[in-house]
Amino acid sequence: MTLETLAGWSRRLYARDISSRELAELYLARIDRFDAQLNSFITVTPELALEAADAADRRIAKGERAPLLGLPVAQKDIFCTEGVRTTCGSRMLEGFIAPYTATAVERMNLAGSVMLGKTNMDEFAMGSSNETSHFGAVRNPWKPDCVPGGSSGGSAAAVAARLAPAATGTDTGGSIRQPAAFCGITGVKPTYGRVSRYGMIAFASSLDQGGPMATSAEDCAILLNAMVGADSRDSTSVERPREDFTAGLSEGIRGLRIGLPREFFGDGLDPSVRAVVDSALAVLRERGAELVEITLPNSSLSVPAYYVVAPAECSSNLARYDGVRFGHRCESPRDLMDLYTRSRAEGFGAEVKRRIMIGTYVLSAGYYDAYYLKAQKVRRLIANDFRQAFAQVDVIAGPTSPEVPFRLGAKSADPVKMYLSDIYTIAVNLAGLPGLSVPAGIVGNLPVGMQLIGNYFDEARLLNVAHQFQQDTDWHTRMPAAFA
Ligand code: GLN
């Protein structure tokens, strides 16, 4: 049977060609058969999936029509799901059963989607390779000795191998776009504030944003429609007029001005990635877009600024895991201090501890001005660069990642090397802008992504450009042969 997109499955559901239950069974069977090779799921929820699928089938039988109704999805294990284990990839939350459901997931559930399970991720979303997960690394379905990217590597690998037609991710510095690129799928990081962060376990609150991951831009638009919207339980979520992200997908892109930041095509970019991105840009030019060289002069400061701001916020957010209220608690503590320190020492992995230490340091009285305050100023400069760029162009394009997926273990000993994986994605989070990654080519059986960055709340345009690109290319339809 052809493994359809969400849009394709939806048509077949309404043609009564398949039921939601059969669809859930099909994907659960694929997870059963293939996930031992990938480790893309931390928890699979077959009973809940079948229950939700049956409910969807009843709604469909009554004549209800809705774009997500009856369609299976996987949820990144950073989203709280009531009654279902929610680990955030950490030993700290290994046994944590969430008492409520994240708004983004709740909205997808109400739209009728069927959760298959919770996907693997870097611990507390800190990483670019999925190797920091307490539940073990995820493998890239295109080449099993390579990483799938991170932190939403489980979601990306699951969608690439078609163990789920779509999934959610979160992106603090690139964690939707980079794994989407590494696995050959489409992933959208929305404007900060578009998607409620309520129930999405916090890493760096001023940067974190949830978003969709699927094979096509059209499917991402369908998911985004369900996920967005103001939420009284997240004061940073933004009230916007209701938008249908699928409505403008077919519009032409003639005359669209695409900015190519000089800084995204310089040193450090793998020539084979560059070649792929260049040919992808040529496709857009063929469609009538105009390519304009631009500059984002403060780009080189984005990784350093991020690695002050993100650890600062994470050190504060992760202070809640103290062994008292929830999460891992050490055995027979001697006293309160022992309870705190041992629970945290045992519950957190090395990368999380590194970040907490850096964050605590940059926020400490003596260093706050020198590091944290300075980083916040740099953040403003980076946002200003984009503001100036968007005065000249409609969207910005470039590579998502400077290289193709690397081998497992290749960067584990060198955190700074790992941090540079996000060199083209991080500035977007610092500025709060939307960005996406589309599959743009394959180099030696490894996928390469092209990134598109938009102005605030311009997701519809980004999706339109990506969809137009996908009319002329078939990279997004390719799947790794081993999972056919
Ligand atoms: N790789 C970056 C980090 O380790 C970004 C992670 C993310 O976007 N969650 O912080």
Side-chain angles (χ1 to χ4, degrees):
M1 163 132 43
T2 335
L3 294 164
E4 307 273 4
T5 60
L6 290 179
W9 282 130
S10 182
R11 281 189 290 273
R12 289 176 63 168
L13 278 177
Y14 295 127
R16 299 291 204 273
D17 197 22
I18 191 166
S19 68
S20 176
R21 170 174 267 265
E22 286 163 344
L23 194 49
E25 282 169 347
L26 183 153
Y27 280 100
L28 290 167
R30 289 183 61 78
I31 295 170
D32 242 10
R33 171 155 169 228
F34 290 118
D35 201 41
Q37 294 170 50
L38 294 176
N39 197 28
S40 67
F41 281 85
I42 292 175
T43 306
V44 185
T45 52
E47 293 85 12
L48 286 175
L50 295 178
E51 213 176 279
D54 287 342
D57 281 330
R58 285 192 295 273
R59 285 168 67 177
I60 293 170
K62 283 197 201 123
E64 200 179 323
R65 294 282 181 272
L68 261 191
L69 184 57
L71 300 177
V73 294
Q75 299 289 358
K76 182 175 180 179
D77 208 17
I78 196 169
F79 288 100
C80 286
T81 42
E82 188 181 345
V84 176
R85 183 164 80 128
T86 300
T87 71
C88 218
S90 183
R91 181 177 183 207
M92 185 57 87
L93 293 175
E94 189 163 14
F96 176 62
I97 309 284
Y100 62 89
T101 297
T103 299
V105 173
E106 187 70 45
R107 289 183 170 158
M108 291 170 70
N109 290 344
L110 288 171
S113 70
V114 172
M115 180 173 93
L116 298 168
K118 309 286 300 284
T119 55
N120 204 344
M121 54 179 286
D122 278 301
E123 185 177 9
F124 284 101
M126 297 173 197
S128 304
S129 67
N130 224 296
E131 293 167 298
T132 73
S133 171
H134 171 63
F135 301 88
V138 176
R139 289 174 184 275
N140 190 311
W142 293 88
K143 218 179 211 181
D145 58 348
C146 289
V147 304
S151 67
S152 312
S155 290
V159 173
R162 310 301 196 259
L163 306 191
T168 51
T170 61
D171 192 311
T172 303
S175 278
I176 288 177
R177 290 160 288 160
Q178 185 255 21
F182 275 19
C183 290
I185 66 162
T186 310
V188 182
K189 180 253 171 222
T191 307
Y192 183 78
R194 259 294 187 196
V195 175
S196 169
R197 290 181 298 105
Y198 179 76
M200 193 177 104
I201 295 173
F203 162 11
S205 309
S206 76
L207 302 161
D208 298 341
Q209 189 61 202
M213 303 177 82
T215 55
S216 68
E218 182 185 21
D219 279 3
C220 285
I222 292 170
L223 287 167
L224 195 59
N225 274 346
M227 294 175 81
V228 299
D231 177 6
S232 60
R233 292 173 297 189
D234 172 6
S235 62
T236 63
S237 68
V238 185
E239 188 86 61
R240 299 280 300 177
R242 179 125 192 87
E243 240 180 286
D244 177 358
F245 296 104
T246 64
L249 291 176
S250 325
E251 273 166 36
I253 57 167
R254 184 153 303 281
L256 183 87
R257 291 172 64 84
I258 301 181
L260 310 180
R262 190 181 310 145
E263 296 77 7
F264 286 17
F265 292 88
D267 281 352
L269 176 60
D270 181 327
S272 65
V273 172
R274 185 182 179 138
V276 165
V277 173
D278 283 344
S279 48
L281 290 169
V283 171
L284 296 175
R285 188 169 346 93
E286 280 292 298
R287 286 233 158 208
E290 189 187 333
L291 306 180
V292 186
E293 189 179 289
I294 58 164
T295 173
L296 297 170
N298 292 293
S299 290
S300 65
L301 300 178
S302 63
V303 171
Y306 173 89
Y307 280 98
V308 173
V309 174
E313 293 185 22
C314 106
S315 71
S316 165
N317 274 326
L318 272 58
R320 74 190 66 173
Y321 305 102
D322 55 6
V324 176
R325 287 156 296 186
F326 62 102
H328 177 76
R329 177 182 294 177
C330 67
E331 292 285 342
S332 38
R334 274 192 321 277
D335 53 27
L336 189 60
M337 196 47 81
D338 186 43
L339 168 75
Y340 290 156
T341 52
R342 219 147 35 84
S343 298
R344 288 169 68 81
E346 293 167 5
F348 291 136
E351 183 60 27
V352 172
K353 287 176 185 158
R354 176 180 297 124
R355 309 252 183 140
I356 291 173
M357 285 191 284
I358 295 171
T360 310
Y361 180 82
V362 300
L363 289 175
S364 60
Y367 295 104
Y368 182 91
D369 289 355
Y371 295 111
Y372 184 71
L373 203 62
K374 185 67 123 305
Q376 292 289 35
K377 290 177 178 167
V378 170
R379 187 173 183 177
R380 171 53 59 93
L381 295 177
I382 289 167
N384 285 347
D385 282 358
F386 281 110
R387 197 158 47 90
Q388 273 158 19
F390 284 119
Q392 305 164 52
V393 298
D394 303 307
V395 304
I396 294 172
T400 305
S401 156
E403 56 191 354
V404 295
F406 46 89
R407 279 171 184 276
L408 282 145
K411 297 185 193 223
S412 311
D414 187 345
V416 174
K417 239 188 192 165
M418 187 74 89
Y419 297 168
L420 289 171
S421 294
D422 296 309
I423 186 136
Y424 304 136
T425 50
I426 273 181
V428 173
N429 301 73
L430 289 169
L433 293 164
L436 60 72
S437 181
V438 273
I442 292 176
V443 171
N445 204 36
L446 285 169
V448 172
M450 170 168 69
Q451 180 176 214
L452 299 171
I453 302 167
N455 211 340
Y456 298 104
F457 301 107
D458 221 2
E459 288 86 351
R461 197 200 301 254
L462 292 182
L463 287 161
N464 166 228
V465 179
H467 181 74
Q468 291 302 305
F469 179 73
Q470 293 180 342
Q471 300 312 296
D472 288 340
T473 57
D474 68 352
W475 305 112
H476 63 292
T477 67
R478 311 257 184 120
M479 65 176 283
F483 300 91

